[in-house]
Amino acid sequence: MKTLKIIASLILLFSIQSLSAQYGQGGYGQGGYGQGGFGGNPMNNQNQQMGNQNRTQTVKEPPIEETVKKVVDRIKIQLTLDELQVIAIGNIITESMKKQNAVLKKEDSNENKTSELKAIAEKTDLDILILLDKTQKAKYKQLSEDLRNQQEASSRRGR
């Protein structure tokens, strides 16, 4: 469960970071190119509209495979995984991310989405833990706990 929460959190974190980097503070949005045209020239409306269309088309989430590779590469070193474990865990995380994305896109209440995401995270954790030996399981649980603590600390700072 903790692993899935971590994985789900990492996915969301990567997605949120890329969106805020493009549209948030100093990007195309509030303080960047989006204010009154490019560079603050309100007379350049046509360029602004074209720029908005281009930005809308280019905003994409990173491919699932890319995110999975980052996560697996990180835990591969920390848990000293063999190649078979790397492949199997990569497949588990990929499936988990696809399910999470489907849940997030559904039009449902936040409570239902949260409970579904928790269930997916728990299943992912269990599936991954089955593949690990005793030492790796202990490290994995510690990594999950550390990541959760980091996320809680960063969410407290953001308030």
Side-chain angles (χ1 to χ4, degrees), residues 20-34:
S20 67
Q22 292 176 13
Y23 288 104
Q25 317 301 350
Y28 296 119
Q30 276 50 10
Y33 297 115

Side-chain angles (χ1 to χ4, degrees), residues 74-81 132 136 139-140 143:
R74 187 175 303 147
I75 64 173
K76 176 183 178 180
I77 295 167
Q78 295 171 329
L79 301 179
T80 57
L81 300 174
L132 303 177
Q136 290 170 327
K139 287 180 184 178
Y140 183 78
L143 287 171

Side-chain angles (χ1 to χ4, degrees), residues 40-130:
N41 181 359
M43 301 302 284
N44 203 351
N45 239 356
Q46 186 176 13
N47 284 342
Q48 182 180 5
Q49 289 173 353
M50 287 174 47
N52 287 338
Q53 290 172 351
N54 290 340
R55 284 192 298 273
T56 303
Q57 293 172 355
T58 60
V59 175
K60 296 179 186 174
E61 291 182 20
I64 290 176
E65 295 78 19
E66 201 175 292
T67 306
V68 169
K69 183 177 180 352
K70 288 178 183 179
V71 172
V72 171
D73 286 348
R74 187 175 303 147
I75 64 173
K76 176 183 178 180
I77 295 167
Q78 295 171 329
L79 301 179
T80 57
L81 300 174
D82 62 37
E83 286 305 309
L84 185 58
Q85 288 174 315
V86 168
I87 293 167
I89 290 173
N91 290 337
I92 291 169
I93 294 171
T94 300
E95 281 304 309
S96 173
M97 290 180 68
K98 288 178 181 178
K99 290 177 184 176
Q100 290 171 12
N101 286 340
V103 168
L104 292 172
K105 290 178 182 177
K106 283 196 315 189
E107 292 188 24
D108 204 353
S109 72
N110 284 339
E111 286 180 17
N112 289 343
K113 287 182 182 181
T114 302
S115 65
E116 284 187 59
L117 290 173
K118 282 182 183 180
I120 293 169
E122 288 174 10
K123 183 175 182 340
T124 301
D125 277 342
L126 291 174
D127 290 346
I128 290 174
L129 286 171
I130 290 170

